[in-house]
Amino acid sequence: MKVAVVGATGMVGEVMLKILEERNFPFTELMLVASERSVGKEITFKNETHKVIGLAEAVSKKPDIAFFSAGGTTSLEWAPKFEQVGTTVIDNSSAWRMDATKKLIVPEINADQLTKDDKIIANPNCSTTQMVMVLAPLHKKFKIKRIVVSTYQSITGTGVKAVKQLENELAGVKGEMAYPYPINKNVIPHCDVFEENGYTKEEMKLVRETQKILDDRSIAVTATAVRVPTQGGHSEAVNIEFENDFDVSEIRKLLSKTPGVVVQDNLDVNTYPMPIYANGKDDVFVGRIRRDESQPNTLNLWIVSDNLRKGAATNTIQIAEYLIDKNLI
């Protein structure tokens, strides 16, 4: 089993290597792949030093699996080249998510869609993944009509440049800006680029990807995505209108039994999800579970997850684990 990590020097790539080690992922050869400017750089993995190689060399080595986290442009150009040599690509970018010929997978929800023929598999957007982990069992039981979501997204979702911007601002140092405004002591209602309808790409990902993963285009979704000066995870306030009525205790019970979801919802001792607790963990945390008293059959939730782990790297590796377990690779 030959494994390539494409984008190994980036934030998600680094977390991916950490998770491969934590989960003792089975491979005989590990290729660390990055852009030409990083070729030759040395990275230590399990006490062994690996030299970073370029994409063309990685393709020539014909890995069995390639974990991609190097941006959409790289994925569009190189994923088909890996596919041509028989590699299964699991891609973290937005490049293939809405391609009708590609599967968009959260293993706990829809991994059963995968077959041996799926050679480019899309990993959802981090904010979508944590939301659908909670929505999927609720949709199955009560049928979702409409979702209103507001996100509070960590700077780590933007990358190293954004982390450096916040560090510089905290230290009072002028430096390169990842955002058009300061992020320290601020929130910016602008994640990704604006589309013609006035929504950002990040907001529209929450709409389109949710419908695709839950396999229901009738679900109405509207989103506001906001960048906040936190590290460790994305948070979401989610309002869900169902076709059928529910009991709040039933919601809690259902979510408590959902693999990968942890209910943190004890107001007597101020227990609710926060990024400071989600950081470094693979679960999706849900709390502040309460009925929306302004209209029937509607629920409010608060969802938090580490965007670099379950929102990206962990979900990618879980897809590969499923493929191996089911002899699809």
Side-chain angles (χ1 to χ4, degrees):
M1 178 70 70
K2 295 193 287 187
V3 170
V5 176
V6 179
T9 57
M11 284 193 83
V12 175
E14 287 175 6
V15 175
M16 211 172 272
L17 291 173
K18 192 177 177 185
I19 294 166
L20 286 170
E21 184 171 359
E22 285 174 7
R23 298 173 80 94
N24 204 22
F25 189 87
F27 59 80
T28 52
E29 186 181 342
L30 178 66
M31 303 166 211
L32 303 186
V33 189
S35 62
E36 288 304 314
R37 69 177 179 272
S38 295
V39 169
K41 183 179 176 182
E42 294 187 341
I43 295 175
T44 302
F45 179 81
K46 284 191 174 180
N47 299 318
E48 283 186 23
T49 301
H50 296 260
K51 278 197 173 177
V52 173
I53 63 173
L55 283 150
E57 185 179 345
V59 171
S60 72
K61 287 175 175 282
K62 300 183 179 179
D64 298 287
I65 300 171
F67 297 114
F68 264 65
S69 189
T73 304
T74 301
S75 293
L76 286 171
E77 181 182 354
W78 286 94
K81 293 177 182 178
F82 278 89
E83 181 185 20
Q84 282 167 12
V85 298
T87 303
T88 298
V89 173
I90 306 172
D91 181 46
N92 250 304
S93 79
S94 60
W96 305 99
R97 290 177 189 154
M98 297 315 299
D99 185 320
T101 67
K102 304 292 184 286
K103 310 279 175 61
L104 182 62
I105 300 295
V106 177
E108 295 90 338
I109 299 171
N110 62 348
D112 58 357
Q113 293 179 5
L114 293 169
T115 70
K116 283 187 175 179
D117 296 329
D118 293 307
K119 288 298 179 187
I120 298 177
I121 300 164
N123 197 57
N125 185 42
C126 45
S127 50
T128 306
T129 299
Q130 67 185 68
M131 186 169 77
V132 295
M133 282 285 291
V134 172
L135 294 182
L138 302 181
H139 182 52
K140 202 171 177 182
K141 179 83 175 174
F142 304 107
K143 191 151 177 31
I144 296 170
K145 282 175 67 178
R146 184 171 186 253
I147 300 157
V148 182
V149 53
S150 297
T151 72
Y152 305 71
Q153 296 187 210
S154 163
I155 54 166
T156 56
T158 308
V160 176
K161 192 175 168 184
V163 174
K164 189 65 183 168
Q165 178 181 331
L166 180 58
E167 287 173 351
N168 284 341
E169 289 170 5
L170 288 167
V173 174
K174 280 193 180 291
E176 197 179 0
M177 303 274 284
Y179 305 117
Y181 299 99
I183 188 64
N184 183 37
K185 298 183 181 179
N186 195 20
V187 298
I188 304 172
H190 177 185
C191 297
D192 214 320
V193 299
F194 288 103
E195 296 194 359
E196 285 184 11
N197 62 0
Y199 287 81
T200 61
K201 271 180 75 176
E202 187 79 10
E203 289 158 354
M204 294 312 298
K205 287 172 191 174
L206 281 157
V207 177
R208 297 166 184 143
E209 293 178 23
T210 298
Q211 292 173 340
K212 183 170 180 177
I213 294 163
L214 298 181
D215 194 25
D216 191 340
R217 269 53 174 191
S218 74
I219 299 171
V221 185
T222 189
T224 303
V226 182
R227 193 71 63 189
V228 297
T230 60
Q231 295 187 55
H234 289 350
S235 306
E236 298 171 338
V238 189
N239 180 272
I240 313 156
E241 182 185 356
F242 298 104
E243 283 193 6
N244 304 299
D245 201 8
F246 58 87
D247 189 274
V248 172
S249 62
E250 193 178 1
I251 298 279
R252 284 198 184 93
K253 191 174 177 183
L254 186 59
L255 292 175
S256 296
K257 290 179 177 178
T258 301
V261 173
V262 174
V263 175
Q264 292 183 323
D265 197 29
N266 186 346
L267 304 186
D268 294 338
V269 289
N270 295 333
T271 298
Y272 30 70
M274 292 184 290
I276 201 166
Y277 294 137
N279 187 23
K281 299 182 178 74
D282 288 324
D283 291 312
V284 173
F285 300 90
V286 60
R288 300 296 320 279
I289 301 166
R290 63 210 188 275
R291 185 179 287 277
D292 179 347
E293 297 181 343
S294 71
Q295 65 173 17
N297 303 352
T298 305
L299 183 74
N300 281 307
L301 297 169
W302 175 252
I303 304 169
V304 180
S305 186
D306 186 323
N307 53 295
L308 296 180
R309 290 185 69 102
K310 182 56 181 174
T314 303
N315 197 73
T316 306
I317 291 163
Q318 285 175 322
I319 293 170
E321 288 172 339
Y322 179 90
L323 294 170
I324 293 166
D325 185 55
K326 300 296 180 184
N327 296 314
L328 299 175
I329 203 165

